[in-house]
Amino acid sequence: MNKNYVAKEVKLDDLVLDKENPRFSELYNGSSKESDIVEYLLFTEAAEELTKAIVDADEFYYDRPLWVFKVDEKYIVKDGNRRCAAVKALQTPSKYNLDLPRYEIDKIPVLEYHNLSELEKRIRLEHTSNLFKKWGRIAKAIEVYRLFKSGSSLESLTEIDSKPKEFIKIGSFYSRVQIKPIQYIKTNQLFR
Protein backbone atom coordinates (compact mmCIF):
# COMPACT_ATOMS: atom_id res chain seq x y z
CA MET A 1 0.00 0.00 0.00
CA ASN A 2 1.40 3.36 -1.03
CA LYS A 3 1.01 5.97 1.75
CA ASN A 4 0.32 9.60 0.94
CA TYR A 5 2.26 10.82 3.96
CA VAL A 6 5.42 10.44 6.00
CA ALA A 7 5.36 10.21 9.80
CA LYS A 8 7.98 12.45 11.38
CA GLU A 9 8.62 14.96 14.15
CA VAL A 10 8.71 18.66 13.36
CA LYS A 11 10.00 21.57 15.44
CA LEU A 12 7.19 23.57 17.00
CA ASP A 13 8.60 26.78 15.52
CA ASP A 14 8.23 25.30 12.02
CA LEU A 15 4.49 24.64 12.44
CA VAL A 16 2.09 27.32 11.21
CA LEU A 17 -1.56 27.39 12.26
CA ASP A 18 -3.98 27.29 9.33
CA LYS A 19 -6.13 30.41 9.54
CA GLU A 20 -8.18 28.99 6.63
CA ASN A 21 -9.29 25.99 8.71
CA PRO A 22 -13.05 25.50 8.09
CA ARG A 23 -13.71 24.78 11.77
CA PHE A 24 -13.06 28.37 12.75
CA SER A 25 -12.29 30.43 9.65
CA GLU A 26 -15.83 31.74 9.22
CA LEU A 27 -16.00 32.87 12.85
CA TYR A 28 -12.47 34.19 13.16
CA ASN A 29 -12.03 37.66 11.80
CA GLY A 30 -8.97 38.73 13.73
CA SER A 31 -5.48 39.38 12.56
CA SER A 32 -3.26 36.80 10.93
CA LYS A 33 -0.74 37.09 13.80
CA GLU A 34 -0.16 33.65 15.20
CA SER A 35 -0.56 34.79 18.82
CA ASP A 36 -4.04 36.14 18.00
CA ILE A 37 -5.02 32.85 16.36
CA VAL A 38 -3.68 30.92 19.38
CA GLU A 39 -5.73 33.11 21.70
CA TYR A 40 -8.85 32.62 19.58
CA LEU A 41 -8.41 28.84 19.57
CA LEU A 42 -7.74 28.76 23.32
CA PHE A 43 -10.80 30.65 24.41
CA THR A 44 -13.31 30.19 21.59
CA GLU A 45 -12.54 26.70 20.29
CA ALA A 46 -11.73 25.09 23.69
CA ALA A 47 -8.00 24.62 23.11
CA GLU A 48 -7.53 25.84 26.69
CA GLU A 49 -8.89 22.47 27.85
CA LEU A 50 -6.23 20.78 25.75
CA THR A 51 -3.49 22.76 27.49
CA LYS A 52 -4.69 21.43 30.84
CA ALA A 53 -4.94 17.89 29.49
CA ILE A 54 -1.38 18.02 28.13
CA VAL A 55 -0.02 19.28 31.45
CA ASP A 56 -2.06 16.68 33.40
CA ALA A 57 -0.92 13.84 31.14
CA ASP A 58 2.63 15.21 31.17
CA GLU A 59 2.88 14.61 27.43
CA PHE A 60 1.61 15.56 24.02
CA TYR A 61 -0.54 12.75 22.66
CA TYR A 62 1.92 11.15 20.26
CA ASP A 63 -0.74 8.77 18.98
CA ARG A 64 -2.58 11.81 17.56
CA PRO A 65 -0.12 13.41 15.13
CA LEU A 66 -0.95 16.66 13.40
CA TRP A 67 -1.66 16.46 9.67
CA VAL A 68 0.51 18.95 7.82
CA PHE A 69 1.47 20.12 4.36
CA LYS A 70 4.89 21.64 3.72
CA VAL A 71 5.07 25.05 2.07
CA ASP A 72 8.58 26.37 1.58
CA GLU A 73 10.35 25.57 4.87
CA LYS A 74 7.23 25.66 7.09
CA TYR A 75 4.49 23.13 7.77
CA ILE A 76 0.87 24.31 7.57
CA VAL A 77 -1.23 22.50 10.17
CA LYS A 78 -4.25 21.31 8.19
CA ASP A 79 -5.67 19.13 10.98
CA GLY A 80 -4.81 19.51 14.67
CA ASN A 81 -4.78 23.31 14.95
CA ARG A 82 -6.30 23.28 18.45
CA ARG A 83 -3.68 20.81 19.70
CA CYS A 84 -0.91 22.79 18.07
CA ALA A 85 -2.23 26.06 19.55
CA ALA A 86 -2.37 24.43 22.99
CA VAL A 87 1.29 23.41 22.76
CA LYS A 88 2.31 26.84 21.47
CA ALA A 89 0.44 28.50 24.35
CA LEU A 90 2.18 26.26 26.89
CA GLN A 91 5.55 27.64 25.79
CA THR A 92 4.56 31.00 27.33
CA PRO A 93 1.36 30.39 29.33
CA SER A 94 1.43 33.79 31.09
CA LYS A 95 1.17 35.51 27.70
CA TYR A 96 -2.27 33.90 27.32
CA ASN A 97 -3.31 34.28 30.98
CA LEU A 98 -3.17 30.55 31.53
CA ASP A 99 -2.72 29.48 35.12
CA LEU A 100 -0.46 26.61 34.10
CA PRO A 101 3.26 25.96 34.33
CA ARG A 102 5.44 26.39 31.27
CA TYR A 103 5.52 23.09 29.42
CA GLU A 104 8.29 22.91 26.89
CA ILE A 105 7.82 20.73 23.85
CA ASP A 106 10.40 21.12 21.10
CA LYS A 107 9.05 18.70 18.47
CA ILE A 108 5.59 17.40 17.65
CA PRO A 109 4.63 14.26 15.74
CA VAL A 110 3.09 14.95 12.34
CA LEU A 111 1.96 13.18 9.23
CA GLU A 112 3.39 15.19 6.37
CA TYR A 113 1.18 14.75 3.32
CA HIS A 114 2.75 15.08 -0.12
CA ASN A 115 -0.44 15.96 -1.96
CA LEU A 116 -2.65 18.76 -0.62
CA SER A 117 -5.82 17.53 -2.34
CA GLU A 118 -5.33 14.05 -0.85
CA LEU A 119 -4.89 15.60 2.59
CA GLU A 120 -7.99 17.73 2.20
CA LYS A 121 -9.96 14.67 1.08
CA ARG A 122 -8.76 12.75 4.15
CA ILE A 123 -9.79 15.63 6.43
CA ARG A 124 -13.25 15.72 4.84
CA LEU A 125 -13.62 11.98 5.44
CA GLU A 126 -12.54 12.41 9.06
CA HIS A 127 -14.82 15.32 9.88
CA THR A 128 -17.87 15.09 7.64
CA SER A 129 -18.57 11.47 6.82
CA ASN A 130 -19.91 8.49 8.69
CA LEU A 131 -16.74 6.49 8.08
CA PHE A 132 -15.42 7.68 11.44
CA LYS A 133 -18.49 7.77 13.62
CA LYS A 134 -18.14 9.83 16.75
CA TRP A 135 -19.66 8.70 20.02
CA GLY A 136 -23.20 9.84 20.63
CA ARG A 137 -24.26 11.73 23.74
CA ILE A 138 -25.28 8.64 25.72
CA ALA A 139 -22.13 6.70 24.85
CA LYS A 140 -20.02 9.67 25.97
CA ALA A 141 -22.05 9.97 29.18
CA ILE A 142 -21.62 6.29 30.05
CA GLU A 143 -17.87 6.47 29.44
CA VAL A 144 -17.50 9.67 31.50
CA TYR A 145 -19.49 8.13 34.35
CA ARG A 146 -17.44 4.90 34.21
CA LEU A 147 -14.18 6.85 34.34
CA PHE A 148 -15.45 9.11 37.14
CA LYS A 149 -16.49 6.09 39.21
CA SER A 150 -13.05 4.55 38.69
CA GLY A 151 -11.36 7.65 40.17
CA SER A 152 -10.74 9.99 37.23
CA SER A 153 -10.87 13.68 38.12
CA LEU A 154 -13.42 16.05 36.61
CA GLU A 155 -10.51 17.96 35.08
CA SER A 156 -9.25 14.88 33.24
CA LEU A 157 -12.74 14.13 31.93
CA THR A 158 -12.80 17.37 29.96
CA GLU A 159 -10.80 15.45 27.35
CA ILE A 160 -14.06 13.73 26.45
CA ASP A 161 -16.38 16.71 26.91
CA SER A 162 -16.03 20.24 28.22
CA LYS A 163 -18.93 19.74 30.69
CA PRO A 164 -18.32 16.36 32.33
CA LYS A 165 -20.70 17.01 35.27
CA GLU A 166 -23.68 16.91 32.92
CA PHE A 167 -22.44 13.63 31.44
CA ILE A 168 -21.91 12.13 34.89
CA LYS A 169 -25.61 12.76 35.68
CA ILE A 170 -26.74 11.24 32.40
CA GLY A 171 -24.33 8.32 32.71
CA SER A 172 -25.43 7.55 36.27
CA PHE A 173 -29.03 7.36 35.06
CA TYR A 174 -28.20 4.95 32.25
CA SER A 175 -26.03 2.81 34.51
CA ARG A 176 -29.01 2.33 36.87
CA VAL A 177 -31.32 1.35 34.03
CA GLN A 178 -30.51 -2.20 33.14
CA ILE A 179 -31.28 -2.92 29.54
CA LYS A 180 -31.80 -6.60 29.05
CA PRO A 181 -31.32 -8.22 25.66
CA ILE A 182 -34.49 -8.94 23.79
CA GLN A 183 -35.36 -12.59 24.06
CA TYR A 184 -36.67 -14.01 20.87
CA ILE A 185 -39.44 -16.54 21.02
CA LYS A 186 -39.67 -19.19 18.40
CA THR A 187 -42.76 -18.83 16.27
CA ASN A 188 -44.01 -22.30 17.12
CA GLN A 189 -43.96 -21.44 20.84
CA LEU A 190 -46.36 -18.53 20.27
CA PHE A 191 -49.20 -20.67 18.99
CA ARG A 192 -49.30 -23.70 21.30
Side-chain angles (χ1 to χ4, degrees):
M1 182 166 114
N2 195 10
K3 292 182 182 176
N4 295 322
Y5 58 83
V6 173
K8 62 198 290 185
E9 286 191 338
V10 172
K11 287 184 178 181
L12 186 60
D13 291 340
D14 291 337
L15 292 168
V16 177
L17 298 171
D18 182 15
K19 67 179 181 192
E20 304 299 322
N21 183 307
R23 176 174 271 172
F24 62 88
S25 65
E26 76 179 57
L27 298 175
Y28 180 72
N29 58 7
S31 76
S32 56
K33 282 180 37 185
E34 185 169 78
S35 60
D36 292 339
I37 297 171
V38 168
E39 189 169 333
Y40 172 82
L41 290 171
L42 285 171
F43 303 112
T44 306
E45 296 290 336
E48 180 184 19
E49 294 168 15
L50 292 170
T51 61
K52 294 173 186 172
I54 290 167
V55 170
D56 286 347
D58 195 25
E59 72 164 332
F60 179 82
Y61 297 100
Y62 285 89
D63 59 335
R64 301 278 302 157
L66 307 177
W67 297 352
V68 302
F69 185 74
K70 191 172 184 179
V71 176
D72 298 323
E73 295 303 311
K74 297 290 184 177
Y75 297 85
I76 308 299
V77 179
K78 299 303 283 181
D79 191 76
N81 281 277
R82 291 181 336 119
R83 286 175 281 142
C84 187
V87 172
K88 286 179 179 270
L90 285 171
Q91 306 312 293
T92 54
S94 61
K95 178 179 179 176
Y96 299 100
N97 295 318
L98 296 173
D99 189 23
L100 294 168
R102 183 168 192 256
Y103 193 87
E104 201 166 322
I105 297 176
D106 185 45
K107 291 184 175 182
I108 294 191
V110 302
L111 298 180
E112 179 191 352
Y113 279 77
H114 308 296
N115 182 306
L116 183 58
S117 62
E118 285 296 319
L119 172 54
E120 290 172 343
K121 178 181 173 184
R122 176 69 173 91
I123 291 169
R124 279 192 304 278
L125 286 173
E126 176 78 15
H127 293 290
T128 64
S129 77
N130 287 331
L131 291 179
F132 304 97
K133 189 160 172 55
K134 296 193 184 295
W135 284 1
R137 187 167 170 80
I138 294 170
K140 272 188 187 180
I142 291 169
E143 178 66 2
V144 167
Y145 181 68
R146 183 189 70 76
L147 292 169
F148 182 71
K149 278 187 62 173
S150 69
S152 294
S153 69
L154 284 175
E155 182 105 0
S156 69
L157 296 174
T158 59
E159 292 175 25
I160 297 172
D161 190 83
S162 61
K163 298 178 182 173
K165 286 182 183 178
E166 292 176 17
F167 280 99
I168 291 169
K169 289 178 191 175
I170 295 167
S172 69
F173 169 78
Y174 280 98
S175 70
R176 283 181 271 158
V177 175
Q178 292 198 355
I179 303 170
K180 300 194 189 266
I182 298 172
Q183 296 178 358
Y184 293 97
I185 302 171
K186 291 181 181 177
T187 308
N188 62 359
Q189 290 176 329
L190 287 173
F191 301 105
R192 284 192 175 170

